Structures are given as structure tokens and as C-alpha cells.
């Protein structure tokens, strides 16, 4: 296989393979001509929130009944008749007046009766309201990202030191 050397534009070298002398010139063109474009993509998260019904609460006022006992003192009047005999005192005296024989006198007696009624009053006041609670959560997601992988095959020469030049073309004799 013949030896070759890359040279600047103005230099030429002779190459000898033992039988003949050949003149070869290698020209390096530093101009990069676009051949194509590759878009490398990556995934990004898009977080969307939606509001959904989590549940409901129903309020009902129900009447609970219980039987209670209420103690009440009631007052009644009674007639007390006392008879004292043999003292020579006049007959029966009612309200400071003597009751004559055959006469009638009425005394009104009173008593208390209880009537029980019900009255509705506010026993408690319940306030009902809503508030929001913010909860921070962290969700795990796997994201993909494309990278450029270059596989060199054949007589491909990689130029080192200048990342703008990328990969050089085939090393072909001129």
C-alpha cells in the first residue's frame, strides 16, 4: 500500500512504491459544504390539571324526639273547718261573720293547673363553608432525548481539534 501524506495546497511529494514514481498531491479544502441537517429531539413534560368531582356532602336537618320530665309545684287551696264545742262561743264564723242557722256561705277555692307548651329557640348555630387546600406532589416521568451517534466505516478520517469541521470526507488519492 503506498504511503500518502496530507499537504498544504502548495506542496507536492513524490511517492515511490519500488517500480515507478508517481506524483500525487493531496489538497485539503477547509470549506464545509452542507449536505443535510439532522434534527435531534427531546421529550418535555406538559402538565395539565383538570377539575373533577371528589365527592359531595349532604346536609339534612332531622328532628330527634325525646321524652323529658319537668318538675312543677302546683298550689291548691283547701277549706279547714275547726269545731270547738262547749265554750259558750257563738256558732260558726266565716270571714269574721257568724253564720246563722240555715244560712249558706260559699268560699271559692283555687288551685294551680299546669299547661305545657313548646317554643322553638336557637340552640346552636352551625356555619358551613368551603376552602381550598393546595397539595404539592412530585410525579416521576421518563423523558427521552435524541443524541447523534456517529459510526465510522471504511476509510473515514476524524479531524481532531476543530469541532466545527466535524468528520472529514474519504481519504482519496487525487
Amino acid at each position: 500500500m503506498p504511503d500518502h501524506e496530507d499537504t498544504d495546497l502548495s506542496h507536492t511529494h513524490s511517492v515511490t512504491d519500488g517500480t515507478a514514481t508517481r506524483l500525487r498531491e493531496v489538497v485539503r479544502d477547509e470549506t464545509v459544504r452542507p449536505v443535510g441537517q439532522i434534527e435531534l429531539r427531546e421529550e418535555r413534560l406538559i402538565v395539565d390539571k383538570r377539575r373533577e368531582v371528589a365527592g359531595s356532602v349532604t346536609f339534612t336537618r332531622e328532628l330527634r324526639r325525646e321524652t323529658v320530665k319537668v318538675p312543677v309545684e302546683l298550689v291548691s287551696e283547701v277549706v279547714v273547718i275547726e269545731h270547738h264545742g262547749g265554750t259558750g262561743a257563738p256558732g260558726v264564723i266565716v270571714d269574721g261573720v257568724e253564720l246563722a242557722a240555715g244560712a249558706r256561705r260559699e268560699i271559692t277555692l283555687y288551685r294551680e293547673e299546669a299547661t305545657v307548651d313548646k317554643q322553638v329557640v336557637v340552640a346552636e348555630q352551625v356555619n358551613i363553608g368551603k376552602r381550598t387546600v393546595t397539595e404539592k406532589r412530585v410525579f416521576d416521568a421518563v423523558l427521552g432525548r435524541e443524541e447523534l451517534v456517529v459510526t465510522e466505516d471504511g476509510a473515514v478520517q476524524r479531524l481532531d481539534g476543530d469541532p466545527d469541521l466535524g468528520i472529514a470526507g474519504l481519504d482519496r488519492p487525487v
Side-chain angles (χ1 to χ4, degrees), residues 21-73:
T21 299
R22 229 175 11 161
L23 188 60
R24 182 179 96 114
E25 182 178 323
V26 177
V27 178
R28 180 188 236 169
D29 184 4
E30 299 293 330
T31 305
V32 176
R33 290 176 302 284
V35 177
Q37 186 178 35
I38 299 174
E39 291 180 345
L40 299 178
R41 297 183 176 131
E42 68 181 10
E43 296 173 332
R44 298 230 171 121
L45 290 179
I46 298 173
V47 177
D48 188 25
K49 298 186 292 186
R50 68 181 184 282
R51 188 175 170 131
E52 62 183 28
V53 175
S56 65
V57 177
T58 303
F59 298 97
T60 305
R61 291 184 351 177
E62 293 182 355
L63 180 61
R64 306 277 188 226
R65 297 193 181 271
E66 66 177 300
T67 302
V68 296
K69 297 186 184 292
V70 181
V72 177
E73 291 183 6

Side-chain angles (χ1 to χ4, degrees), residues 90-106:
V92 178
I93 298 180
V94 178
D95 288 333
V97 178
E98 182 178 345
L99 185 61
R104 266 178 128 180
R105 184 82 194 264
E106 185 176 305

Side-chain angles (χ1 to χ4, degrees), residues 89-162:
V92 178
I93 298 180
V94 178
D95 288 333
V97 178
E98 182 178 345
L99 185 61
R104 266 178 128 180
R105 184 82 194 264
E106 185 176 305
I107 299 176
T108 306
L109 302 175
Y110 294 97
R111 70 176 183 166
E112 295 177 335
E113 255 326 293
T115 57
V116 179
D117 285 326
K118 295 184 272 185
Q119 179 183 11
V120 178
V121 296
V122 176
E124 298 180 47
Q125 186 173 9
V126 178
N127 296 325
I128 299 171
K130 294 191 313 185
R131 66 179 172 163
T132 59
V133 177
T134 302
E135 174 185 2
K136 289 188 178 184
R137 287 188 174 179
V138 176
F139 293 92
D140 293 332
V142 177
L143 298 178
R145 183 173 160 256
E146 295 177 343
E147 293 182 355
L148 184 62
V149 176
V150 178
T151 305
E152 299 163 355
D153 186 21
V156 176
Q157 178 183 1
R158 185 180 288 265
L159 298 175
D160 295 324
D162 191 352

